[in-house]
Amino acid sequence: MNRDGNEEVTNNTFAIIRKAYEQAPFNRLLGFRLDRVDTREGQISFLAKPELIGNFHQGILHGGVISAVIDTAGGLAACASVLARIKGLQPEEATHRMARMGTIDMRVDYLRPGKGTEFRCVGTVMRTGRKVAVTRMELFDQEDTLVAVGTGAYLVG
Amino acid sequence: MNRDGNEEVTNNTFAIIRKAYEQAPFNRLLGFRLDRVDTREGQISFLAKPELIGNFHQGILHGGVISAVIDTAGGLAACASVLARIKGLQPEEATHRMARMGTIDMRVDYLRPGKGTEFRCVGTVMRTGRKVAVTRMELFDQEDTLVAVGTGAYLVG
Amino acid sequence: MNRDGNEEVTNNTFAIIRKAYEQAPFNRLLGFRLDRVDTREGQISFLAKPELIGNFHQGILHGGVISAVIDTAGGLAACASVLARIKGLQPEEATHRMARMGTIDMRVDYLRPGKGTEFRCVGTVMRTGRKVAVTRMELFDQEDTLVAVGTGAYLVG
Amino acid sequence: MNRDGNEEVTNNTFAIIRKAYEQAPFNRLLGFRLDRVDTREGQISFLAKPELIGNFHQGILHGGVISAVIDTAGGLAACASVLARIKGLQPEEATHRMARMGTIDMRVDYLRPGKGTEFRCVGTVMRTGRKVAVTRMELFDQEDTLVAVGTGAYLVG
């Protein structure tokens, strides 16, 4: 148990999830790093590389980068919350289950322009059922300013 | 007037919008092309490059690519619907107005896995007010299979 | 087959769905009528009774009435699309299946003030899977002015 | 200042908002009570009257009641956050400003069946700009079980 009372995802399951996220070509293109994940929350971070800019004149993040990281952080939390419940999970089954998971739908609310140099997005599970998980996401810049929030529904079983 | 009864955005305004979209670094990274835009609709297309893949094993588009193009196509339609109403719009004013526009929020519904080789996303304006425009978006693969739909609210004035 | 190419929901299944909607106390409180339903679309209509007003001074529909009818019309279309696929559906099974269905999430976009005297809301299925159905909804007043649109995800299996 | 560090909405402004919510016919039909409101949060509560039931067999709240209270609690928080910023606000101006406010769009996530006897919905402002306010909402039953969450964008200026 970590100090927030959430059981950490076991090292084995954590390693499988991390590998899947790090191997995804689009996550690599955007530079998404998986910082941490437990049974209730996951965090993705990235640097504001020049290629991620949307508005040439103002130097702010493209809305599509924001929606991408919000979807990714929500999916991470949903995935971990489901896999962590399975005792003695084997790598093959984990991979098989992850392949069948997917985002049903997602909402993104753009609160402030993404002007920072580094961002982190936290996905938190609101509820995990047998079929659907619902998560809320929050995107912060390096000064902990809240840049965007989101909500996602994920098919998990 | 085009054959659907929508006045085309004047060549001048169209050129300004196209330039803004083509200059955005993230649109270039993803290979987004502005196919067409009139006062009610806009279309963005792109090829399923290997870097846009989310699931390594299944070779399907990353959800973040889908949300990015849906936001972009909706913003294109919203932007054009507003700028087209201004008679004799000068380039400086167009640039100034576009810099103040932005997505308020967006919903994406993922209907089917993005397994195609080429995709096009159509954004359609549902209503343009003085402050807010609302658009619906549809993403199709090269066989016109509906892959995802979305809805966006944009601040336009 | 009706003229739009959609098979009509069989009379039996239609009657079961109609009964469930008409028995729901809240639908009766608001005066929701089930106008029609086939395998792809359903329509709910209602009169702008004084109790449904939100803004005392302006006499416009409460946003909660609009969200309620949008959820109801989407659920109707989702439900019918699923039940219509089951050949020889018996009333007991239909009731059992409907009891397990439910809205996962919903978005409502308020386009114009609801100032009319009578409204109708059409729910259209975008996709029905084994577990989830996605619908789009449109609310019109008696002059066919588009007042609001919505999107819903429904758990159907 | 209250103990959470939020300035309470002045008595005058609070009274104007309360009156507007209590006079809205649909709020009265559903039995919505305005419990409290400050510059960042507002709470609406109601009893699970028989007329608010959606599913006859299961005795659970209609989804439309849930979406209605979520919209109402978000609008309350958005409205208060804006009016509280205006020093020396006169009743006429408050009424005038409230009449021009409205929901742009809203998302509702239904997490668990609404089986309780009494419910309360808290709306919290995420950001208030000059034109748009964004709020998150949470609906609890009498045992503080989280039944639904939501997000709304409101036009405020």
Side-chain angles (χ1 to χ4, degrees):
Chain A
M1 301 282 280
N2 63 21
R3 54 178 189 172
D4 295 327
N6 301 318
E7 194 184 332
E8 259 190 74
V9 178
T10 60
N11 288 341
N12 218 19
T13 303
F14 179 88
I16 294 163
I17 295 173
R18 174 180 287 280
K19 198 176 163 193
Y21 274 80
E22 289 182 352
Q23 281 186 346
F26 190 64
N27 289 346
R28 295 171 70 166
L29 183 69
L30 270 59
F32 287 176
R33 301 179 304 236
L34 194 167
D35 293 332
R36 60 179 176 80
V37 60
D38 61 34
T39 60
R40 201 175 145 265
E41 280 194 3
Q43 182 176 299
I44 303 281
S45 65
F46 64 99
L47 296 171
K49 299 189 293 182
E51 309 94 277
L52 306 186
I53 296 304
N55 187 299
F56 188 69
H57 296 285
Q58 301 176 305
I60 56 176
L61 277 187
H62 192 288
V65 177
I66 291 174
S67 64
V69 77
I70 277 186
D71 180 24
T72 304
L76 170 64
C79 171
S81 75
V82 171
L83 295 186
R85 292 193 296 193
I86 306 168
K87 295 201 189 292
L89 182 68
Q90 297 302 309
E92 301 76 32
E93 194 189 345
T95 303
H96 181 63
R97 281 178 173 265
M98 288 178 72
R100 290 185 309 172
M101 294 179 188
T103 314
I104 296 169
D105 60 61
M106 178 186 60
R107 175 187 172 104
V108 183
D109 294 86
Y110 300 86
L111 303 180
R112 293 178 186 86
K115 289 187 174 169
T117 55
E118 190 169 354
F119 296 88
R120 65 186 180 87
C121 187
V122 180
T124 307
V125 175
M126 291 285 113
R127 180 171 183 269
T128 306
R130 283 180 305 121
K131 294 168 188 164
V132 175
V134 177
T135 63
R136 274 184 169 177
M137 293 76 88
E138 303 193 333
L139 177 69
F140 302 93
D141 66 15
Q142 76 279 359
E143 289 172 354
D144 282 338
T145 304
L146 188 60
V147 171
V149 296
T151 311
Y154 298 85
L155 196 63
V156 293
Chain B
M1 301 281 279
N2 64 20
R3 51 177 192 175
D4 294 328
N6 299 319
E7 193 185 334
E8 261 188 73
V9 178
T10 60
N11 289 341
N12 217 19
T13 302
F14 178 89
I16 294 163
I17 295 173
R18 174 180 288 278
K19 198 175 163 195
Y21 274 79
E22 289 181 351
Q23 281 186 346
F26 189 64
N27 289 346
R28 296 172 69 166
L29 183 69
L30 270 60
F32 287 176
R33 298 179 304 237
L34 194 167
D35 293 334
R36 61 179 175 79
V37 60
D38 62 33
T39 60
R40 199 175 148 263
E41 280 194 3
Q43 181 175 300
I44 303 281
S45 65
F46 63 99
L47 295 171
K49 298 189 294 182
E51 309 94 276
L52 305 186
I53 296 304
N55 187 299
F56 188 69
H57 296 284
Q58 301 176 304
I60 56 176
L61 276 188
H62 192 287
V65 177
I66 292 175
S67 63
V69 77
I70 277 186
D71 180 23
T72 304
L76 170 63
C79 170
S81 76
V82 171
L83 295 187
R85 291 193 296 194
I86 306 168
K87 297 202 189 293
L89 182 68
Q90 296 303 308
E92 302 75 35
E93 194 189 345
T95 303
H96 181 63
R97 281 178 173 264
M98 288 178 73
R100 291 185 308 172
M101 294 182 189
T103 313
I104 297 170
D105 60 60
M106 177 185 60
R107 175 186 172 105
V108 184
D109 294 85
Y110 299 87
L111 302 180
R112 296 179 183 84
K115 288 187 173 169
T117 55
E118 190 169 354
F119 296 87
R120 65 187 178 86
C121 187
V122 180
T124 307
V125 175
M126 291 284 113
R127 181 170 183 269
T128 305
R130 282 180 306 122
K131 293 167 189 164
V132 176
V134 177
T135 62
R136 274 184 167 176
M137 294 74 90
E138 305 194 331
L139 177 68
F140 301 94
D141 66 15
Q142 77 279 0
E143 290 172 353
D144 281 338
T145 304
L146 188 61
V147 170
V149 296
T151 311
Y154 298 85
L155 196 62
V156 292
Chain C
M1 302 282 279
N2 62 20
R3 53 178 191 173
D4 294 328
N6 299 318
E7 193 183 334
E8 260 190 73
V9 177
T10 59
N11 289 340
N12 218 19
T13 303
F14 179 88
I16 294 163
I17 294 173
R18 175 181 287 278
K19 197 174 163 194
Y21 274 80
E22 289 182 352
Q23 280 187 347
F26 189 64
N27 289 346
R28 295 172 70 167
L29 183 69
L30 271 59
F32 287 176
R33 300 179 305 236
L34 194 167
D35 293 333
R36 60 179 175 82
V37 61
D38 62 34
T39 61
R40 202 176 144 261
E41 280 194 3
Q43 182 176 299
I44 303 281
S45 65
F46 64 99
L47 296 171
K49 298 189 294 182
E51 309 95 277
L52 306 186
I53 296 304
N55 187 300
F56 188 70
H57 296 287
Q58 301 176 304
I60 55 176
L61 277 187
H62 191 288
V65 177
I66 291 174
S67 64
V69 77
I70 278 186
D71 181 25
T72 304
L76 170 63
C79 171
S81 75
V82 171
L83 296 186
R85 292 193 296 193
I86 306 167
K87 297 202 187 292
L89 181 69
Q90 296 303 309
E92 301 75 32
E93 194 190 345
T95 302
H96 181 62
R97 280 176 173 265
M98 288 179 72
R100 291 185 308 172
M101 295 180 188
T103 314
I104 297 170
D105 60 60
M106 177 186 61
R107 176 187 171 104
V108 183
D109 294 85
Y110 299 87
L111 303 180
R112 294 178 185 86
K115 288 187 173 169
T117 55
E118 190 168 353
F119 297 87
R120 64 186 181 85
C121 187
V122 180
T124 307
V125 175
M126 292 284 113
R127 181 173 181 266
T128 306
R130 282 180 306 121
K131 293 167 188 163
V132 175
V134 177
T135 63
R136 274 184 168 177
M137 293 77 88
E138 303 193 332
L139 177 69
F140 301 93
D141 67 15
Q142 76 279 0
E143 289 172 355
D144 281 336
T145 304
L146 189 61
V147 171
V149 296
T151 312
Y154 298 86
L155 196 62
V156 292
Chain D
M1 301 282 280
N2 63 21
R3 51 178 191 175
D4 295 327
N6 299 319
E7 194 184 332
E8 260 189 74
V9 178
T10 60
N11 289 340
N12 217 20
T13 303
F14 179 88
I16 294 163
I17 295 173
R18 174 180 287 278
K19 197 176 164 194
Y21 274 79
E22 289 182 351
Q23 281 186 345
F26 190 64
N27 290 347
R28 296 172 69 167
L29 183 69
L30 270 59
F32 287 176
R33 298 180 305 237
L34 193 167
D35 294 333
R36 60 179 175 79
V37 61
D38 62 32
T39 60
R40 201 177 144 261
E41 280 194 2
Q43 181 176 299
I44 303 281
S45 64
F46 64 99
L47 296 171
K49 299 189 293 182
E51 309 94 276
L52 306 186
I53 297 304
N55 187 299
F56 188 69
H57 296 285
Q58 302 175 305
I60 56 177
L61 275 188
H62 191 288
V65 177
I66 292 174
S67 64
V69 77
I70 278 186
D71 180 24
T72 304
L76 170 64
C79 171
S81 75
V82 172
L83 296 187
R85 292 192 296 193
I86 306 168
K87 296 201 189 294
L89 181 68
Q90 297 303 308
E92 301 75 35
E93 193 189 345
T95 304
H96 181 62
R97 281 177 173 266
M98 289 179 72
R100 291 185 309 172
M101 294 181 188
T103 314
I104 297 170
D105 59 60
M106 177 186 61
R107 175 186 172 104
V108 183
D109 295 85
Y110 299 87
L111 302 180
R112 295 178 183 85
K115 288 186 173 168
T117 55
E118 189 168 354
F119 296 87
R120 64 186 179 87
C121 188
V122 180
T124 307
V125 175
M126 292 284 114
R127 180 171 184 269
T128 306
R130 282 180 305 123
K131 293 168 188 164
V132 176
V134 177
T135 62
R136 274 183 167 177
M137 294 75 90
E138 304 194 331
L139 178 69
F140 301 94
D141 66 16
Q142 76 278 1
E143 291 172 353
D144 282 337
T145 305
L146 189 60
V147 171
V149 296
T151 311
Y154 298 85
L155 195 64
V156 292

